[in-house]
Amino acid sequence: MDKQVAYLEYVNRDNSFHHHRYDNEMLQYEYLAKGDSRAIEESERMIRSAETGHLSDDPLKNLLYLCICNITLVTRFAIEGGMDAEKAYNASDLYIQKYDKARSTDELYALHREMIEYYVRAVAAAKKENVYSKPVIQCMDYIQLHLHEAIVVGELADMCGLNESYLSVLFKRETGVNITEYVVIKRMETAENMLKYSDFTLSEISDILHFSSYSHFARTFRKYYDTSPKKYRDTHYRRTVMTE
């Protein structure tokens, strides 16, 4: 490998080619971590630069690989900037799937811009949200990862090393809702997403999100969205499919 790297350096030097400087490359990510919209144009400039790496002789594959490399770093810097980690990773997975389906460099360039705009907005929004204490953040993270299980306040308190009553008061003070209500809100947000983008049946969504019955799930969903899960899916799932 050392010989191959040395040879490539010789070939690039002979062809007057060099990669862009490290500090130039990092600028877009520094902007992104701040939620600064300048990251969009900077990222656009870099992905179209003649100083990007040569990863494939096929122009489409070459750009595909560059886009994947880019979103890998974008995701990490977005998390550093305050974006929810699971949301950032899921968005990365979805954009890479979209990249994989692209059939032209123009399509990839358009997806790349859409991607960076999405992450900049997400980081900027995260910075506007309240700053929570470590125990509350621990609870939020645990809840997000265990929506498919029973979530007990006492177990959360043990995890945080706090008294159950104190944790409940702290959580309500910082979020505006009690822990039980927060769990329901997050389950409803996930249910909404699954109704839009997944092929799970209504009963399967109810079971996955740990509702005691479908009727309980349907009543709760109607309380938050003023419609039934079935009607919501009939409207929004079709719309999503039509726009893809």
Side-chain angles (χ1 to χ4, degrees):
M1 179 56 70
D2 285 341
K3 289 181 179 179
Q4 291 175 346
V5 169
Y7 176 71
L8 185 58
E9 288 175 350
Y10 165 76
V11 171
N12 286 341
R13 195 161 49 244
D14 194 50
N15 290 324
S16 299
F17 171 81
H18 59 86
H19 293 86
H20 40 66
R21 294 203 330 262
Y22 176 80
D23 54 343
N24 285 341
E25 180 186 19
M26 295 306 293
L27 184 58
Q28 61 177 305
Y29 305 119
E30 291 170 5
Y31 284 148
L32 172 66
K34 297 174 183 176
D36 189 328
S37 61
R38 287 179 291 179
I40 298 169
E41 296 307 324
E42 185 62 27
S43 187
E44 181 88 347
R45 183 181 71 80
M46 294 300 291
I47 200 73
R48 293 177 178 270
S49 168
E51 297 177 350
T52 55
H54 179 81
L55 308 180
S56 172
D57 291 335
D58 182 323
L60 182 60
K61 282 186 178 180
N62 190 68
L63 182 56
L64 170 64
Y65 299 149
L66 289 171
C67 285
I68 293 173
C69 292
N70 179 255
I71 197 172
T72 300
L73 287 171
V74 164
T75 303
R76 274 64 180 175
F77 277 85
I79 293 169
E80 183 178 310
M83 185 177 179
D84 176 77
E86 193 65 19
K87 181 177 181 180
Y89 287 128
N90 285 334
S92 174
D93 290 347
L94 289 172
Y95 270 111
I96 290 174
Q97 290 170 27
K98 289 185 178 185
Y99 292 162
D100 189 53
K101 294 176 182 177
R103 293 295 175 261
S104 70
T105 54
D106 285 344
E107 190 176 353
L108 275 176
Y109 280 129
L111 282 169
H112 171 266
R113 186 176 183 90
E114 176 190 315
M115 176 276 296
I116 195 69
E117 287 176 346
Y118 171 81
Y119 276 98
V120 168
R121 287 197 305 270
V123 172
K127 289 186 178 300
K128 292 177 183 177
E129 294 178 355
N130 295 327
V131 177
Y132 300 109
S133 63
K134 183 178 179 180
V136 171
I137 292 172
Q138 283 181 293
C139 290
M140 289 176 163
D141 289 344
Y142 181 91
I143 289 167
Q144 188 64 45
L145 294 173
H146 295 82
L147 292 175
H148 59 292
E149 302 173 9
I151 296 174
V152 181
V153 177
E155 293 177 358
L156 291 176
D158 290 341
M159 177 186 71
C160 297
L162 297 175
N163 173 275
E164 183 176 335
S165 297
Y166 177 73
L167 176 63
S168 297
V169 171
L170 180 67
F171 195 96
K172 177 71 178 289
R173 185 171 68 224
E174 293 189 12
T175 67
V177 295
N178 62 42
I179 294 174
T180 301
E181 180 69 9
Y182 182 84
V183 172
V184 175
I185 289 170
K186 290 302 170 182
R187 282 183 171 142
M188 288 297 96
E189 290 175 356
T190 303
E192 180 191 19
N193 188 277
M194 293 176 77
L195 289 168
K196 284 181 178 180
Y197 302 114
S198 81
D199 292 322
F200 289 110
T201 67
L202 304 183
S203 294
E204 286 172 337
I205 293 174
S206 173
D207 290 342
I208 290 168
L209 295 177
H210 203 74
F211 282 89
S212 57
S213 65
Y214 175 73
S215 60
H216 180 206
F217 168 60
R219 285 196 307 272
T220 307
F221 191 88
R222 183 179 289 277
K223 173 185 173 183
Y224 283 86
Y225 295 98
D226 199 29
T227 188
S228 70
K230 183 179 185 307
K231 287 183 179 178
Y232 191 92
R233 166 162 277 179
D234 288 345
T235 302
H236 296 278
Y237 183 75
R238 288 175 183 168
R239 183 179 301 155
T240 300
V241 171
M242 288 171 63
T243 57
E244 287 182 347

